[in-house]
């Protein structure tokens, strides 16, 4: 066998192959240059691909007559392929609560993100920043694509036309720009003298409306770029605006605490609604055309019926509202963004928060945009970040939610959080990593784990965090399977029950009614009982008393605020009167001084000449005589 010889093999002694003899100065693979650039390590990016769920939904539509026939999903990762798109789960709106954190996108030059909007084909997301830049992010992998300087000042409003052919944006200087889908700017004009806060298109796309901090709303002709009418009536900055999805109807909210409805064909105000006690920050029409939401800094969200101009429901957010967005598929579901960076999901007809992410951002959330399919939510915030949220998948546990833990203490905090809320499973069994999928703020039974349901729960049993109702509660995996499965309670919610209308649910009221005990030890005493204490009142009486106390405190605060405002107004009026008196006195003194000066000048001139007297001789003209 021939031996391998190298450059240093000068004698007959055996020589072992050395790589350095043939390739001197080797370089690591990560520092090699390819076409003038360093090679980059491949990065596995998280992506949310909606194609599989859409195809599965289209297939299920062929084999199932109604959504009630769809099979249940179990809390296991193997059922991810059975997850359907939101349009196939119309009877279960809670399945579209996007609480799973996906990605954070940050510009190289950090600045607040004021508005976010998806492209009509959902391939990209466009963000408008305070620097006046448009940033395009990929809609599947959420990576950076391109950036362009769109405006000279901060961008405050962006919206697509209903035919998906034009993008209109407004900035802090009151400038409006038209953009094509390829980001080509074709028109620019000045619409307001103050920052533009919202832009909304008419159903026909021939008109659009804009509101501004100058207190006006203008209706524009899209083709001619001319203002057709100016709507004035708000006493302060107009912060929000929306156009009815089918009619020529506008609704606006202002800093003067009023919500106004306008006829877009004329400059007439149809109605003025006094439903808030602080600046109205958001208004949004529902796609059914009969409801609209209004949110203000008084921490209240009100659902209005435009047919009767009455409040259908009031949601107490306990936080100052900054964003309200209806879901594009489920007309009863909407998301709320707050000034402290929280995301809350509400359902029309339910008084409590259905799901929340607290905090989702480190600062105020300025805008939010749903994916056209409704499976992804994007939020832009004052903390200079754009975040993407997706629907949870079957088998996700509580730690898959967005928890802002520190990097060095993540494992310790995870164990502390898990054992603090789930120390043991039912009947003393060790919880382990499986039982930790139970959400700590609910008492619902998880199918496959046998946690006993509470009789006061709204939904009997749900697959966390998909909230799909289940009719049975299965035993523990470690226990022998009984011959007959226990059925659900009679007070449980039927499978795939449609959302209730915006009112109190009679099932919840029935569950709250106390039932008398059959034991003689708890029989009522015939002796007179004192007045009921706060702890012995009916839950409804508790709510009424709490509402009365809250209303009394609010009225007291309003009276004190009005009194202080009246005192301040009186002080200002007295100050103005005193200033006017000073000015009048100064003018009189000046008038008297001028009269005295005029009289003194006339006295120095002497008496006027008598009538008919010859005029005085003219003054000599020319040089003076010599000598």
């Amino acid at each position: 066998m021939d031996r391998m010889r190298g450059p240093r093999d000068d004698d007959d002694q055996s020589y072992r192959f050395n790589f350095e003899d043939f390739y001197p100065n080797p370089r690591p693979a990560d520092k090699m240059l390819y076409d003038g650039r360093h090679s980059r390590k491949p990065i596995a990016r998280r992506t949310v691909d909606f194609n599989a769920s859409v195809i599965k939904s289209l297939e299920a539509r062929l084999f199932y007559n109604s959504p009630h026939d769809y099979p249940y999903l179990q809390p296991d990762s193997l059922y991810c392929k059975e997850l359907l798109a939101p349009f196939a789960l119309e009877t279960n709106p809670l399945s579209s609560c996007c609480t799973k954190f996906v990605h954070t996108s940050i510009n190289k030059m950090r600045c607040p993100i004021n508005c976010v909007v998806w492209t009509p084909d959902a391939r990209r997301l466009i963000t408008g920043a305070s620097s006046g830049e448009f940033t395009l992010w990929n809609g599947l992998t959420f990576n950076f694509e391109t950036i362009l300087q769109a405006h000279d000042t901060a961008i405050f409003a962006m919206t697509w036309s209903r035919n998906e052919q034009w993008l209109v944006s407004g900035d802090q200087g009151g400038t409006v720009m038209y953009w094509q889908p390829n980001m080509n700017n074709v028109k620019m004009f000045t619409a307001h003298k103050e920052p533009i806060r919202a832009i909304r298109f008419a159903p026909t796309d021939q008109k659009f409306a804009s509101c501004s901090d100058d207190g006006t709303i203008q209706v524009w002709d899209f083709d001619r770029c001319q203002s057709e009418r100016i709507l004035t009536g708000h006493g302060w900055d107009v912060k929000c605006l929306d156009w009815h999805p089918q009619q020529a109807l506008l609704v606006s909210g202002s800093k003067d605490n009023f919500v106004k409805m306008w006829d877009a064909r004329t400059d007439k105000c149809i109605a003025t609604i006094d439903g808030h006690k602080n600046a109205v920050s958001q208004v949004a029409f529902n796609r059914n055309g009969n409801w609209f939401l209004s949110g203000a800094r008084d921490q209240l969200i009100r659902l209005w019926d435009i047919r009767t101009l009455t409040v259908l429901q009031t949601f107490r957010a306990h936080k100052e509202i900054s964003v309200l967005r209806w879901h594009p598929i489920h007309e009863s579901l909407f998301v709320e963004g707050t000034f402290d960076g929280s995301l809350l999901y509400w359902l029309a007809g339910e008084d409590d928060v259905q799901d929340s992410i607290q905090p989702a951002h480190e600062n105020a959330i300025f805008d939010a945009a749903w994916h056209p399919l409704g499976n992804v939510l994007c939020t832009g915030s004052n903390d200079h970040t754009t975040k993407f949220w997706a629907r949870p998948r079957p088998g996700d546990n509580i730690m898959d939610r967005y928890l802002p833990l520190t990097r060095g203490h993540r494992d310790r905090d995870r164990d502390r959080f898990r054992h603090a809320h789930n120390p043991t499973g039912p009947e003393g069994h060790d919880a382990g990593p499986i039982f930790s999928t139970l959400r700590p703020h609910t008492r619902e039974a998880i199918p496959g784990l046998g946690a006993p349901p509470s009789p006061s729960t709204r939904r009997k049993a749900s697959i966390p965090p998909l909230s799909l109702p289940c009719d049975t509660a299965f035993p523990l995996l470690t226990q022998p399977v009984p011959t007959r499965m226990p059925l659900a309670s009679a007070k449980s919610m039927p499978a795939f029950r449609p959302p209730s209308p915006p009112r109190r649910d009679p099932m919840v009221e029935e569950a709250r009614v106390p039932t008398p005990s059959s034991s003689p030890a708890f029989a009522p005493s015939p002796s007179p009982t004192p007045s009921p204490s706060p702890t012995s009142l009916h839950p409804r009486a508790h709510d009424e008393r709490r509402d009365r106390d809250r209303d009394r405190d609010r009225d007291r605060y309003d009276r004190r605020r009005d009194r202080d405002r009246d005192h301040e107004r009186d002080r200002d009026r007295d100050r103005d009167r005193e200033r006017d008196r000073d000015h009048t006195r100064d003018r009189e003194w000046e008038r008297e001084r001028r009269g005295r000066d005029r009289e003194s000048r006339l006295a120095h001139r002497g008496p006027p000449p008598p009538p008919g007297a010859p005029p005085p001789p003219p003054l000599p003209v020319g040089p003076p005589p010599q000598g």
Side-chain angles (χ1 to χ4, degrees), residues 30 79 84 102 117 163 170 178 299 321 355 456 490 509 522 552 556 581:
D30 58 345
Y79 286 85
L84 302 179
V102 179
V117 62
N163 60 9
Y178 293 174
Q299 304 178 0
I321 296 97
D355 215 330
S456 62
E509 300 298 334
F522 296 92
R552 186 183 65 251
R556 187 180 304 166
R581 286 197 301 268

Side-chain angles (χ1 to χ4, degrees), residues 119-140:
T119 57
D121 57 1
R123 292 179 178 271
R124 295 173 182 83
L125 179 88
I126 306 175
T127 62
S130 296
S131 60
E133 297 174 337
F134 280 172
T135 306
L136 275 68
W137 306 93
N138 189 281
L140 291 178

Side-chain angles (χ1 to χ4, degrees), residues 248-251 259-273 306 309:
L249 182 64
L250 291 171
V251 61
V259 176
K260 289 182 177 292
M261 301 183 68
W262 309 83
D263 187 355
R265 298 168 298 182
T266 62
D267 56 353
K268 180 181 178 181
C269 178
I270 299 176
T272 299
I273 303 174
I306 66 173
L309 292 181

Side-chain angles (χ1 to χ4, degrees), residues 413-491:
D413 294 340
R414 181 187 294 110
D415 297 337
R416 183 189 305 170
F417 184 85
R418 177 179 299 170
H419 292 295
H421 294 282
N422 301 293
T424 58
E427 301 181 5
H429 293 281
D430 186 14
I434 299 180
F435 197 78
S436 63
T437 57
L438 180 62
R439 290 164 53 180
H441 62 280
T442 59
R443 299 177 61 186
E444 301 172 347
I446 300 178
L449 296 178
S454 172
S456 62
T457 54
R458 174 66 178 87
R459 299 180 302 275
K460 164 63 181 171
S462 59
I463 300 178
L466 295 179
S467 302
L468 297 179
C470 186
D471 289 337
T472 59
F474 296 97
L476 286 173
L477 299 178
T478 57
Q479 295 179 353
V481 180
T483 57
R484 186 175 181 179
M485 294 293 181
L487 296 179
S489 173
K491 297 179 181 179

